[in-house]
Amino acid sequence: MSDSQRFPVAAHTLAYLAHKGAYSREQAVSSSVLAASIPTNPVVIRRMTTQLAKAGLVNTCSGVAGGTWLLKNAGEIKLDEVLHAVNGCAHLGSAPPGADGCPVGQAIPKAVSGAMKEANSAATAALSKITVADLIRNI
């Protein structure tokens, strides 16, 4: 899965679990059900839920009767935490090196990198104010 897809898939997964009230092993949702909601392959979901489990956001149980459930209330899971958990992409990229001997090529990479760092910080700050519960508020 590309970096740009990790975060949206993770957020969707957590929102679906919250919407279904999956807060215990008895309420676990299978990877095939989660995958059908996105839509994607269940293998993608299992890889994603492994990352979310390492971050302490979900727990999983494998097997035919397996599934995933939330370990935190949806209102306690902030989107910047989700982004970090899946090493997602909220960045704009990186500036390529400039050509030697070109005054613009020498100055622009540093200037663009500074602007992108500022934009990334703003995106992270915005995500820190939004919870998984906010995502499903109007469902």
Side-chain angles (χ1 to χ4, degrees):
M1 173 183 315
S2 71
D3 286 350
S4 63
Q5 292 293 307
R6 282 190 200 128
F7 171 68
V9 169
H12 185 127
T13 298
L14 295 170
Y16 189 91
L17 293 170
H19 176 68
K20 290 298 184 180
Y23 287 97
S24 70
R25 169 69 183 98
E26 296 74 34
Q27 300 163 320
V29 178
S30 72
S31 58
S32 60
V33 169
L34 289 167
S37 173
I38 291 180
T40 191
N41 189 296
V43 172
V44 170
I45 297 301
R46 287 191 289 274
R47 288 181 186 146
M48 179 68 52
T49 56
T50 297
Q51 291 179 299
L52 295 171
K54 285 180 184 176
L57 300 175
V58 301
N59 202 352
T60 64
C61 182
S62 59
V64 176
T68 303
W69 63 96
L70 295 170
L71 292 176
K72 291 182 168 184
N73 184 291
E76 298 171 351
I77 303 172
K78 296 184 178 182
L79 296 188
D80 64 325
E81 182 180 10
V82 176
L83 180 71
H84 180 71
V86 298
N87 301 311
C89 177
H91 60 82
L92 301 172
S94 57
D100 289 336
C102 174
V104 173
Q106 296 295 305
I108 290 300
K110 184 176 179 180
V112 169
S113 291
M116 290 189 312
K117 184 177 180 181
E118 192 173 319
N120 289 334
S121 294
T124 300
L127 291 173
S128 73
K129 297 175 185 172
I130 304 167
T131 68
V132 170
D134 294 330
L135 297 178
I136 61 171
R137 194 165 315 261
N138 295 321
I139 294 176

